[in-house]
Amino acid sequence: MQPAHYTRSRLSEQIMNLPNDDKTCGWYAALPAPKPVRTLSGQQTADYVIIGAGFAGLAAARRLATLEPEARVILVDAQRVAEGASGRNSGFVIDLPHKFALEHPDPAHKQRLLGLNRAAIAQLESLIAEHDIECQWSHAGKYQGAVGERGLAYLAHFEKLLSGLGEPFRMVERDELQRVLGTTHYSRAIFTPGCYLMQPAALVRGLGDSLPENVELLENSPITRLERDGKGGFVLLGNAGTIRTPRLLLGTSIFTQEFGYLKNRLLPVMTFASWTRPLNDDECKRYTGTFNWGLTPADHAGTTVRMTQDKRLIIRNTYKHVPKYGRSIDDKARSDIRSDHRKALVKRFPDLAEVPFTHTWGGVYAISRNFTNFFGQLEEGVFASACDNGVGAAWGTISGTLLADMAVGADSSLLHDIQAVTGMPSLNPPEPFLGFGVRSRIKLAAWNSRSEL
């Protein structure tokens, strides 16, 4: 594959917009204190540098270290591992692509996506077993639920897509749903068996704690500038040190544009979740469902709900365009979102209306207007996986692994598959038209989907 030279922009020449995540992520707060941090200091050199220690960056670092055990690999992140987007999702590892991908006219395209996602799940399951990572990993499957007519129409469309794909699924009616979910709120759901559930922050930290010895993990070490060194390599500048390397891998998702690449091609969107404390004994008696399940909405703008293994209810909905990432959301916005989450909880579980939320948090991810993921070489010595379009855990894992293969010149059928299903995110219109258009579309989707929230 030739470098995508037309994606190249100037290397970073100004102060970057760094991650600014809230400090109220329940998944992260539930973890024990992390190991002592190692930060970037002094002048470092490495054979490979990966920026971003989420699912993609961790997978790339692990794979590079395995393929080239004598190489020095540095994995650097602006935050602690699991504080960023990979530790903030709803804890689904999904094998089936989202509906817009299932609508692709080429059956081979869809089968490649399935194969890539399932390779990621197998890889994660193997690592969890090998390193004894406690992360509530469970082959629980997933429900996709509908409330009213709008949701039922989406569900019927999903049923048609699954039938055409030849994938196993089961239609679940209200009475059976009530026994599983403990609520009569949903009219119908489709159950698909291939999804896994997990505690994302625990999984990401476990992957970070078990990296091979030739990977040096540097946290709380934002890279604020990226330069060419005049010898075909790169210099990464941080607050207290630099790193020189001939090869750079970006597992930076939406922040890839801050390094001068894929500019005006990625849209930063934040979605939000709240969770309760664990249900007490009395509340467990009033709750009539099972534990450890996950439901996503048939209408994509609806509400995701989970009951965790440790008996917490999670509500996730609300989308915001966040051009300044975390700085785009203030305390009032978080309070309003938390109130909306409370309404969604009470609708579904009125007998548990008094159970308090303990944490409300947001997470930023990248989408593209043409729903295309980028994977590949940006220019000589620079490789990136960016824009997961909301399927982060599986896609990040497999794309990071295969990006390492590409960087060292390894070949595989999976590498050919990911190259076949990825491409160039389309250009965005200029501001202020972009912001107005995205905000208007999100508001319209929320209004149309209000019965499913």
Side-chain angles (χ1 to χ4, degrees), residues 207-246:
L207 294 171
D209 287 345
S210 60
L211 288 167
E213 291 184 359
N214 58 325
V215 176
E216 185 172 355
L217 174 61
L218 304 176
E219 302 170 89
N220 286 348
S221 300
I223 300 302
T224 57
R225 189 176 172 90
L226 177 61
E227 298 177 347
R228 280 287 191 181
D229 65 2
K231 302 176 183 179
F234 303 89
V235 182
L236 290 69
L237 290 83
N239 295 328
T242 62
I243 314 173
R244 292 180 178 270
T245 184

Side-chain angles (χ1 to χ4, degrees), residues 73-319:
V73 179
I74 291 181
L75 174 60
V76 59
D77 198 284
Q79 304 178 98
R80 296 303 304 265
V81 169
E83 282 188 330
S86 290
R88 292 171 171 268
N89 61 64
S90 295
F92 294 83
V93 190
I94 297 173
D95 62 333
L96 288 169
H98 282 336
K99 286 189 287 293
F100 58 80
L102 290 179
E103 291 169 344
H104 197 282
D106 182 6
H109 180 96
K110 291 179 278 194
Q111 291 299 329
R112 289 187 182 102
L113 288 173
L114 279 167
L116 290 163
N117 289 341
R118 287 171 176 162
I121 289 172
Q123 181 175 322
L124 288 171
E125 188 159 46
S126 176
L127 291 170
I128 289 166
E130 178 183 355
H131 300 290
D132 196 23
I133 299 173
E134 295 291 338
C135 63
Q136 300 182 27
W137 181 260
S138 172
H139 189 182
K142 179 175 72 71
Y143 294 87
Q144 187 164 104
V147 179
E149 291 184 5
R150 180 178 173 87
L152 288 169
Y154 276 102
L155 203 64
H157 180 54
F158 186 47
E159 179 183 10
K160 182 178 179 181
L161 293 173
L162 288 176
S163 296
L165 191 62
E167 281 296 306
F169 68 92
R170 186 167 61 86
M171 194 66 71
V172 185
E173 303 297 339
R174 186 191 299 270
D175 289 348
E176 183 181 352
L177 274 177
Q178 181 182 359
R179 291 193 292 272
V180 175
L181 310 181
T183 175
T184 60
H185 187 71
Y186 292 95
S187 301
R188 175 180 284 186
I190 287 176
F191 177 79
T192 50
C195 178
Y196 284 68
L197 301 178
M198 48 82 177
Q199 208 279 38
L203 174 54
V204 174
R205 181 183 285 179
L207 294 171
D209 287 345
S210 60
L211 288 167
E213 291 184 359
N214 58 325
V215 176
E216 185 172 355
L217 174 61
L218 304 176
E219 302 170 89
N220 286 348
S221 300
I223 300 302
T224 57
R225 189 176 172 90
L226 177 61
E227 298 177 347
R228 280 287 191 181
D229 65 2
K231 302 176 183 179
F234 303 89
V235 182
L236 290 69
L237 290 83
N239 295 328
T242 62
I243 314 173
R244 292 180 178 270
T245 184
R247 283 155 292 193
L248 177 64
L249 284 72
L250 299 176
T252 42
S253 187
I254 186 61
F255 295 97
T256 305
Q257 61 191 359
E258 298 298 328
F259 294 95
Y261 299 104
L262 303 177
K263 296 286 286 186
N264 303 318
R265 294 183 182 273
L266 307 179
L267 291 169
V269 174
M270 184 176 282
T271 185
F272 300 86
S274 296
W275 80 357
T276 68
R277 58 160 170 72
L279 301 185
N280 61 32
D281 290 343
D282 177 64
E283 291 155 354
C284 286
K285 291 177 182 177
R286 282 184 276 144
Y287 170 67
T288 59
T290 62
F291 295 98
N292 191 42
W293 52 261
L295 178 144
T296 59
D299 180 350
H300 66 276
T303 297
T304 294
V305 187
R306 269 200 66 189
M307 173 63 83
T308 66
Q309 286 186 11
D310 57 351
K311 303 177 182 178
R312 301 176 189 266
L313 280 165
I314 300 174
I315 299 290
R316 190 193 79 178
N317 60 38
T318 308
Y319 297 85

Side-chain angles (χ1 to χ4, degrees), residues 349-407:
F349 305 100
D351 291 341
L352 301 174
E354 82 287 356
V355 180
F357 287 136
T358 58
H359 298 83
T360 298
W361 66 93
V364 183
Y365 65 98
I367 63 173
S368 59
R369 293 175 62 238
N370 59 349
F371 298 107
T372 296
N373 305 42
F374 180 83
F375 172 92
Q377 188 171 353
L378 288 161
E379 63 171 313
E380 188 66 32
V382 184
F383 305 84
S385 172
C387 195
D388 59 36
N389 284 299
V391 193
W395 185 260
T397 297
I398 195 62
S399 67
T401 300
L402 296 174
L403 199 67
D405 285 0
M406 174 179 278

